[in-house]
Amino acid sequence: MTEAKKLSEAEIQEQLSSLDGWTIDQGKLYREFKFANFVQAFGFMSQVALLAESLNHHPELFNVYNTVKIHLSTHDAGGITSKDTQLASKINVAA
């Protein structure tokens, strides 16, 4: 398995232009999602878990009631990689 390469700032900004709603927070890709209630938020988190597992890439998820906050980075690479942008794109589709 090849290791993911950390993206440059220019590459990150280029990728962000096609990742609706995602920003950079604490050196990681970040997005917050709001749902009608806790059950919808938790169901979404379950979808994200399945997507992440299929890519063998696991996000930081935080949930309070109807809000899900997600941070993405590749710890082995020390920052944001194409694995993060790929997962962010799939998460947007799920949302």
Side-chain angles (χ1 to χ4, degrees), residues 42-66:
F42 197 86
F44 173 70
M45 286 179 56
S46 295
Q47 287 181 303
V48 170
L50 293 172
L51 289 170
E53 188 64 21
S54 74
L55 296 172
N56 193 30
H57 191 55
H58 306 96
E60 296 173 18
L61 298 171
F62 180 77
N63 167 248
V64 174
Y65 183 60
N66 69 335

Side-chain angles (χ1 to χ4, degrees), residues 20-22 31-36 40-41 43-48 51 68 70 87-95:
D20 188 43
W22 291 86
R31 184 159 181 201
E32 184 175 310
F33 297 87
K34 293 218 182 246
F35 298 91
Q40 287 182 3
F44 173 70
M45 286 179 56
S46 295
Q47 287 181 303
V48 170
L51 289 170
V68 176
I70 302 176
L87 183 53
S89 179
K90 289 183 179 290
I91 289 170
N92 277 359
V93 171

Side-chain angles (χ1 to χ4, degrees), residues 9-23:
E9 287 301 316
E11 290 169 321
I12 291 168
Q13 291 306 314
E14 182 181 328
Q15 293 291 318
L16 275 177
S17 68
S18 64
L19 291 173
D20 188 43
W22 291 86
T23 60

Side-chain angles (χ1 to χ4, degrees), residues 3-9 11-12 27 74 76-82 84:
E3 287 188 30
K5 178 183 149 288
K6 182 178 173 181
L7 299 176
S8 70
E9 287 301 316
E11 290 169 321
I12 291 168
T74 304
D76 294 348
I80 298 168
T81 69
S82 60
D84 302 300

